[in-house]
Amino acid sequence: MVSFDKTTLALTTSLAAAVTFSSVQAAEVEVLHWWTSGGEARAANVLKELMEAEGYGWEDFAVAGGGGETAMTVLKSRAMSGNPPSAAQIKGPEIQEWGELGLLGELDEVAEAEGWDELLPPTVADVMRYDGSYVAVPVNVHRVNWLWANPEVLDEAGVEMPTTLDELFEAGEAIREAGYIPLAHGGQAWQDATVFESVLLATGGTEFYQQALVDLDEEALGGETMVEALETFKRLRELMDDDMSGRDWNIATSMVIEGDAGMQLMGDWAKGEFTAAGLTAGEDYLCAAAPGTQDAFTFNIDSLAMFRVEGEEREAQQALARLALEPTFQEAFNLAKGSIPARPDLDMSEFDQCARQSLEDFQHTADAGGLVPSMAHGMAVRADVQGAIFDVVTNYFNSRDMAAEEAAERMVNAAQAAL
């Protein structure tokens, strides 16, 4: 009889647990993102596993495309038809645009319970709010103005990491003479713009960058400094290979990893690819601020904006927001992604020297005024303005005939049309 009671009790307990787990498992989130390359996919999977460990479901809605343009097109279609995902990877000014449409759900209850105001730097927190309320959660801070290099290729060419634009061209010529591609690049509009904004930052400094690519000041966009930056940007084609058109960014990174190319100008998500390949920073690959931008930090904050949902889905959504900023995910995600945590209070001992340098530079430039939002990665201007600038930059970069003065004039026209 006792044996029967124990068996019955165990069976009843198991059934109750199964029913409870089933009901919790029914609460799930659908997450739209474009973390699809090797390092990025590993990073996103960390959050999925944390959600599942708490009994929530995760429906992955991954849309390939490093710049996120395709994902945003899909999101707009879904949202406008009344069927948005629970959360979506949205950045910068676009968070405000979605907020203005009345489609985002607030996260103030989670933010207050978890102390987000104390955890997050003001620059980061401000981007996450709409109309005073948190509507998005940051998962990281990327630095865009990085230069990556293969030390063996540099050694073969007899050069060191360049610290100025002039040194970049000198090193590039030596690398070509040694039989390698000097600068790996993917000929896509967002990648062209990524390189361009670092050249502009090196040419004009942070104040000029702010005037031109954030404030859209017409004198800055059409002036001599812009012309100089455009001419230098165009010269970089001389350091790239003829097969770059349409190449994905991570393929360009693999060219550096495999020793086919010497260097790449790309944000620190490239480090996720080096990490996924089992390489060690400072030994197997080198990192430094993009030449001429040592005192500046171009930031790109990945975030998950939450759409207005109800019931169990909202419960799961709130859990997603909480977990995204907790130390377990922040450390694991950023170790895999190549970025630094959105909250600067974490122990960085597990991070490599590139990440530690990035956090140090972020804090220093935040104090000194050298933080600038990345235009190329949706942090500086609205999507329509960004698209207009992309068109000018990539058309100029790929044109044999367009003069820098004409491109600068088109920049002014693009800004005027958007205002």
Side-chain angles (χ1 to χ4, degrees):
M1 190 69 168
V2 174
S3 175
F4 175 77
D5 285 343
K6 285 183 177 179
T7 304
T8 303
L9 178 61
L11 181 59
T12 303
T13 302
S14 298
L15 286 171
V19 169
T20 301
F21 179 77
S22 175
S23 64
V24 173
Q25 184 68 26
E28 69 172 23
V29 286
E30 183 185 20
V31 183
L32 183 148
H33 63 87
W34 59 91
W35 295 314
T36 55
S37 73
E40 293 177 324
R42 283 197 306 132
N45 197 53
V46 172
L47 188 53
K48 176 183 178 182
E49 290 174 350
L50 286 171
M51 285 290 289
E52 290 175 345
E54 291 203 3
Y56 295 104
W58 171 292
E59 185 176 345
D60 202 52
F61 189 179
V63 181
E69 296 92 345
T70 306
M72 287 301 97
T73 300
V74 173
L75 176 60
K76 286 169 184 172
S77 175
R78 282 279 304 271
M80 292 305 133
S81 65
N83 182 33
S86 317
Q89 184 184 351
I90 305 175
K91 301 184 298 184
E94 285 204 341
I95 293 174
Q96 304 304 308
E97 292 178 38
W98 284 103
E100 288 168 6
L101 293 173
L103 296 175
L104 297 184
E106 54 84 13
L107 298 170
D108 289 340
E109 187 177 337
V110 177
E112 185 174 350
E114 299 296 314
W116 287 8
D117 284 349
E118 292 73 38
L119 286 177
L120 297 175
T123 303
V124 177
D126 288 347
V127 178
M128 300 301 120
R129 296 191 187 98
Y130 171 72
D131 197 23
S133 291
Y134 282 98
V135 292
V137 56
V139 297
N140 62 2
V141 174
H142 278 298
R143 186 182 196 174
V144 178
N145 57 316
W146 276 116
L147 177 70
W148 309 94
N150 183 311
E152 293 183 1
V153 174
L154 297 193
D155 288 344
E156 285 280 334
V159 297
E160 297 181 350
M161 285 287 274
T163 60
T164 66
L165 289 172
D166 286 341
E167 289 179 5
L168 176 63
F169 286 106
E170 292 170 8
E173 290 306 316
I175 291 169
R176 173 175 283 116
E177 289 175 10
Y180 303 94
I181 298 166
L183 195 61
H185 183 64
Q188 298 172 339
W190 73 268
Q191 293 189 64
D192 294 341
T194 297
V195 174
F196 168 71
E197 72 177 17
S198 285
V199 172
L200 184 140
L201 186 59
T203 304
T206 55
E207 186 175 347
F208 176 76
Y209 180 102
Q210 178 77 26
Q211 291 170 346
L213 297 185
V214 182
D215 300 336
L216 302 177
D217 179 82
E218 292 184 13
E219 289 187 16
L221 287 170
E224 292 181 4
T225 304
M226 176 61 74
V227 170
E228 181 186 349
L230 285 163
E231 289 175 342
T232 304
F233 171 59
K234 188 72 159 278
R235 280 182 60 203
L236 287 177
R237 283 190 68 91
E238 301 167 10
L239 304 183
M240 301 170 183
D241 65 302
D242 294 333
D243 298 325
M244 66 180 182
S245 180
R247 177 187 291 145
D248 287 335
W249 69 268
N250 52 309
I251 302 303
T253 305
S254 72
M255 292 166 63
V256 179
I257 291 172
E258 293 163 10
D260 297 323
M263 302 175 289
Q264 181 186 20
L265 285 164
M266 184 53 63
D268 57 15
W269 48 91
K271 187 157 63 71
E273 299 304 297
F274 289 105
T275 301
L279 304 184
T280 301
E283 297 177 13
D284 305 314
Y285 67 96
L286 305 177
C287 63
T293 70
Q294 288 83 349
D295 295 326
F297 191 111
T298 317
F299 66 84
N300 170 26
I301 303 171
D302 283 326
S303 54
L304 291 173
M306 304 299 170
F307 283 84
R308 195 182 296 277
V309 296
E310 303 294 338
E312 287 188 338
E313 187 178 358
R314 176 168 167 77
E315 175 196 330
Q317 182 189 69
Q318 301 281 305
L320 174 68
R322 170 176 52 81
L323 288 168
L325 206 52
E326 286 188 351
T328 301
F329 173 69
Q330 284 281 318
E331 179 172 324
F333 181 86
N334 287 288
L335 283 171
K337 189 75 161 62
S339 44
I340 59 174
R343 46 186 292 178
D345 64 322
L346 299 187
D347 178 10
M348 294 292 286
S349 60
E350 294 297 314
F351 287 78
D352 60 42
Q353 67 178 50
C354 297
R356 292 196 294 271
Q357 183 66 50
S358 185
L359 182 60
E360 182 180 323
D361 289 349
F362 177 82
Q363 293 173 323
H364 169 73
T365 52
D367 293 336
L371 282 179
V372 290
S374 171
M375 178 281 298
H377 295 275
M379 299 301 301
V381 293
R382 299 195 318 263
D384 58 335
V385 182
Q386 180 197 49
I389 295 174
F390 274 20
D391 287 345
V392 175
V393 168
T394 202
N395 288 337
Y396 167 72
F397 196 53
N398 292 293
S399 170
R400 294 180 181 274
D401 305 319
M402 191 187 303
E405 289 81 2
E406 181 183 347
E409 186 179 334
R410 291 189 182 190
M411 287 276 200
V412 174
N413 293 338
Q416 287 176 337
L419 295 176

